[in-house]
Amino acid sequence: MTTPVFRTPVLIVGAGVTGCLLALELAHHGVSTVVLERAARPPRHPDLTLVDGRSVELLRRLGLADRVRAAAVDPTCPVDVLWSRRLDQAPVLSSNLPSPAELSRAYSLATDEDALVEPHLLLTSADLTSALLDAVRAHPRIDLRTGWTCTDLRQEPGGTVATALDAEAGTRHLIEADYLAGCDGAHSTVRRCLGVSVDELEPAGHHLSIAFHYPLETGPRETESPGPTMIIAGGITLSRRSPADAWVAHVPLERDEAAATDPARLLRDRLGIDLDGPDLLGVVQWDDGLGVASHFRRGTTFLAGQSAHRFHPPSSRVDTCVGDAIDLGWKLAAAVHGWAGPALLASYEGERRRQALLDRELLVRAVETRRRFGRLAAGGASADFLARFVLQEPPQLDPAGTAGSGAYPRSPILWQETPGLRSARRGVRPGVRPPAVRLAGGEPLLDRLGPQFTLVDLTDQAAGKPLVAAAEGRGIPMTYFGLADAAVRASWASRLVLIRPDQHVAWHADRSPSDWEAVLDVVTGRHPQPSDRPARRPKND
């Protein structure tokens, strides 16, 4: 039975990390959503997820950082990273990732442009998703419908119409939406309905994720750390939250190994450990083709998170999903509220697909390092050689999240700098998050930014006020933030800095431009700049 049609500004398919954050980002901008989630029960993924500091900053602006932190592991515990031939042998190299508490203290005192406001968080995928689901359920602008499956969709001139099945009631519903976002995972129904292909970097390899208990007294002393532990051994990556928790092992399978491979035998052969039957808690098989969708958008329908990029296990690049949700969310909100030009929504694919391709390369490098380490160890390389090999490779974990990602220097909705001009120092550049300096009272400057655009004015004459008034006259929401803070003035070369809702610089200058309307046309997507060449800089008065 099909029930009458109902409407929503934005329909989100999937309530994982991406879908929840997208709904919360839209609600942050005053947009109501309907969220469909096929699973009726909470997730049960035990693998550890590192949410980097930059992603936690984005959660902070939504008021979610404390909620997610409450579900994370003890912030005073560092993460031990061990490289070993086998789990029953001493590691050839040991290191640790500083604890969030330690990094938080360092960030509060730092003055360099890379300093963050928030440290990273470490928690299980299940706990992260559950924390975000709790926030979704509590928000009055979000209508979460669990047990509902999107089975089909069609695009029409005024939006997208989806067919959804309510499994409990056995009824089908037609949902009309101005925009639809597919956040329904690696095997996305939305992506299939759109006919979007996935570009894979290499033929998919087969893996098993195995959860198991392992008695500490039979392993190396280094595994007795009270905090989170990550071990790379025998070509396998293992992790656990604490000694009381189960290990989760991600095991690559050889091409000739059958899908029905005995997981206990795999662990015994590759790690040198024997498991009793009850110690084996669960097994999941997955492939890692490392695919990125050829398109992130078709008309009024968008792909985000694992629907747009199949990185496995999903916890390996959760920050890519966070970035998708925030970027798409504020742009969809601008379109719903009527102040977005056509290029603003189009910029989502350009910015986020480029980021997905970059993040895929970083992931490939990390995975290949682990594979080569396993092959070298199996080939009899000495402990010293193995240690030197690991040390010359990039770190496996990036707690800050600022290394080579999260910037959009070539986006057409940013006012590009003229070639040959000296770039502003301290990171005040288009497409980059500005330095997270602290004000005289210790408050992070990022906490003073508005929900939409913010014009930070460091001039003595409050030159930015007329600019903000002009923007508001065009219906573009913009917060004015006049600032006479000596520390900020000393570190930011530009005196006027326009910051996007996702905390990236959209435009900067020393004086008011004579053609402010042209700047507004670019940053709202009404008249984008070509991404392959910088545009003319507006003349200053």
Side-chain angles (χ1 to χ4, degrees):
M1 181 179 70
T2 300
T3 63
V5 175
F6 66 92
R7 289 192 56 84
T8 179
V10 180
L11 175 63
I12 299 173
V13 181
V17 171
T18 310
C20 286
L21 274 180
L22 177 57
L24 292 164
E25 176 72 17
L26 284 160
H28 179 65
H29 299 293
V31 176
S32 298
T33 58
V34 172
V35 181
L36 308 182
E37 171 52 47
R38 177 175 55 190
R41 297 180 179 179
R44 298 178 59 189
H45 309 298
D47 53 317
L48 279 177
T49 297
L50 186 145
V51 184
D52 67 36
R54 178 59 191 134
S55 291
V56 182
E57 285 184 345
L58 294 173
L59 297 179
R60 178 187 178 103
R61 52 185 279 285
L62 296 177
L64 297 171
D66 289 343
R67 179 188 291 269
V68 175
R69 187 181 295 108
V73 302
D74 185 347
T76 65
C77 290
V79 179
D80 287 335
V81 181
L82 312 176
W83 296 77
S84 181
R85 290 188 179 90
R86 293 161 61 94
L87 195 59
D88 59 351
Q89 296 182 10
V92 301
L93 183 68
S94 303
S95 62
N96 66 66
L97 188 70
S99 71
E102 181 181 349
L103 288 176
S104 183
R105 289 190 295 269
Y107 292 156
S108 67
L109 301 173
T111 57
D112 63 283
E113 70 176 63
D114 292 328
L116 297 174
V117 172
E118 292 277 1
H120 67 279
L121 297 175
L122 194 70
L123 68 170
T124 67
S125 299
D127 288 341
L128 174 59
T129 304
S130 295
L132 296 177
L133 276 171
D134 288 344
V136 163
R137 292 189 183 97
H139 205 291
R141 288 192 177 273
I142 303 174
D143 180 1
L144 174 64
R145 304 195 176 204
T146 57
W148 284 49
T149 301
C150 176
T151 59
D152 197 11
L153 62 88
R154 69 177 186 271
Q155 299 208 56
E156 297 187 347
T160 301
V161 179
T163 302
L165 172 65
D166 177 358
E168 183 176 357
T171 55
R172 292 186 181 273
H173 303 259
L174 292 179
I175 307 174
E176 293 180 349
D178 296 330
Y179 301 98
L180 184 147
C183 307
D184 49 339
H187 304 288
S188 170
T189 297
V190 174
R191 187 181 65 236
R192 175 181 56 79
C193 291
L194 294 179
V196 173
S197 61
V198 176
D199 300 330
E200 294 190 345
L201 190 64
E202 57 187 20
H206 303 296
H207 296 253
L208 292 180
S209 290
I210 307 170
F212 63 97
H213 278 302
Y214 178 59
L216 286 170
E217 60 269 16
T218 61
R221 289 183 56 83
E222 285 80 355
T223 63
E224 297 178 12
S225 167
T229 302
M230 175 179 175
I231 300 179
I232 297 96
I236 297 174
T237 303
L238 306 98
S239 64
R240 68 169 182 202
R241 282 172 46 119
S242 71
D245 292 307
W247 290 98
V248 176
H250 299 304
V251 186
L253 300 178
E254 301 297 333
R255 294 185 183 276
D256 57 349
E257 288 182 302
T261 297
D262 179 5
R265 181 183 62 79
L266 269 181
L267 295 178
R268 182 176 64 250
D269 293 346
R270 298 196 191 180
L271 296 179
I273 61 174
D274 288 314
L275 294 178
D276 293 329
D279 291 328
L280 189 62
L281 304 178
V283 180
V284 176
Q285 184 174 349
W286 48 274
D287 299 330
D288 69 345
L290 298 178
V292 175
S294 58
H295 297 281
F296 282 20
R297 177 193 186 188
R298 294 283 197 204
T300 55
T301 301
F302 298 79
L303 300 175
Q306 287 285 309
S307 302
H309 35 78
R310 299 192 312 206
F311 298 161
H312 287 285
S315 58
S316 60
R317 296 302 299 182
V318 69
D319 303 296
T320 316
C321 299
V322 172
D324 287 354
I326 302 302
D327 189 280
L328 180 58
W330 76 265
K331 292 172 181 175
L332 280 176
V336 170
H337 289 311
W339 58 267
L344 192 67
L345 283 180
S347 72
Y348 165 71
E349 177 173 314
E351 291 183 352
R352 294 310 303 170
R353 189 170 190 276
R354 184 180 298 117
Q355 186 63 54
L357 293 172
L358 173 59
D359 288 344
R360 180 171 69 176
E361 292 302 317
L362 296 175
L363 178 58
V364 167
R365 179 70 179 268
V367 170
E368 183 58 26
T369 295
R370 296 195 289 268
R371 288 175 176 169
R372 292 178 64 194
F373 176 86
R375 292 194 297 267
L376 289 169
S382 69
D384 287 343
F385 182 89
L386 290 171
R388 290 196 302 270
F389 165 76
V390 173
L391 290 172
Q392 72 183 5
E393 294 295 312
Q396 292 285 302
L397 302 174
D398 175 20
T402 56
S405 62
Y408 313 121
R410 298 178 58 193
S411 175
I413 61 167
L414 303 172
W415 193 275
Q416 305 293 341
E417 296 177 327
T418 302
L421 291 183
R422 177 178 62 86
S423 295
R425 65 182 183 273
R426 301 288 296 175
V428 183
R429 302 185 305 277
V432 177
R433 190 213 69 174
V437 295
R438 293 182 180 270
L439 305 180
E443 180 185 14
L445 183 148
L446 293 181
D447 284 356
R448 299 291 298 275
L449 303 181
Q452 305 288 351
F453 283 101
T454 300
L455 185 66
V456 179
D457 186 353
L458 302 175
T459 67
D460 293 323
Q461 304 81 22
K465 283 189 174 181
L467 304 182
V468 171
E472 292 176 341
R474 289 180 49 169
I476 303 169
M478 188 175 294
T479 298
Y480 174 78
F481 183 25
L483 188 60
D485 190 282
V488 181
R489 288 188 172 190
S491 62
W492 285 23
S494 296
R495 290 296 177 256
L496 293 169
V497 182
L498 181 63
I499 301 176
R500 303 189 332 179
D502 58 358
Q503 300 179 340
H504 288 80
V505 174
W507 166 87
H508 67 94
D510 289 325
R511 297 186 297 274
S512 299
S514 59
D515 195 355
W516 178 238
E517 297 294 327
V519 174
L520 293 178
D521 282 344
V522 168
V523 301
T524 60
R526 295 194 177 278
H527 191 273
Q529 294 185 350
S531 59
D532 58 346
R533 62 180 178 84
R536 176 179 58 85
R537 194 182 186 94
K539 295 180 180 179
N540 290 328
D541 292 332

